[in-house]
């Protein structure tokens, strides 16, 4: 769910604050955590006889949410790592 993804982003940010890797490494880790899921998910769902249409809609919703959540994650990163 969206709440779970946001919570996971803040957990990653907190972990980065505790570990304190170099700024560029921390930014890379945060961006990897913030990215939407793999785009081949609907293909995998189709091969597993799962609901292909539902997986496509969820993937689209994830990309739309990323328009908001990725900049928020980077802004939170800048607050703590600058």
């Amino acid at each position: 769910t969206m709440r779970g993804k946001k919570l996971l982003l803040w957990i990653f940010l907190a972990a980065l604050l505790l570990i304190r890797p170099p700024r560029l490494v921390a930014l890379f880790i945060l961006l990897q955590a913030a990215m939407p899921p793999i785009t081949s998910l609907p293909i995998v769902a189709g091969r597993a006889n799962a609901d292909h249409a539902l997986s496509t809609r969820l993937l689209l919703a994830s990309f739309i949410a990323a328009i908001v959540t990725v900049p928020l994650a980077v802004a939170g990163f800048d607050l703590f790592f600058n």
Side-chain angles (χ1 to χ4, degrees), residues 3 6-7 13 16 22 25 40 45 47 51 58 60 65 76 81:
R3 288 176 78 182
K6 284 183 181 181
L7 178 63
L13 186 58
L16 290 174
V25 172
S40 61
R47 288 186 180 172
D51 191 347
L58 291 173
L60 178 62
F81 280 86

Side-chain angles (χ1 to χ4, degrees), residues 28-45:
F28 177 75
I29 292 170
L30 182 75
L31 287 176
Q32 285 294 322
M35 289 298 116
I38 59 172
T39 55
S40 61
L41 186 61
I43 296 169
V44 173

Side-chain angles (χ1 to χ4, degrees), residues 8 16 19 27 34 41-42 51 56 65 71 73:
L8 188 61
L16 290 174
I19 299 169
L27 180 61
L41 186 61
D51 191 347
T56 303

Side-chain angles (χ1 to χ4, degrees), residues 42-74:
I43 296 169
V44 173
R47 288 186 180 172
N49 293 325
D51 191 347
H52 180 267
L54 176 63
S55 66
T56 303
R57 287 192 302 269
L58 291 173
L59 182 66
L60 178 62
S62 176
F63 280 115
I64 291 171
I67 293 171
V68 175
T69 59
V70 171
L72 285 176
V74 172

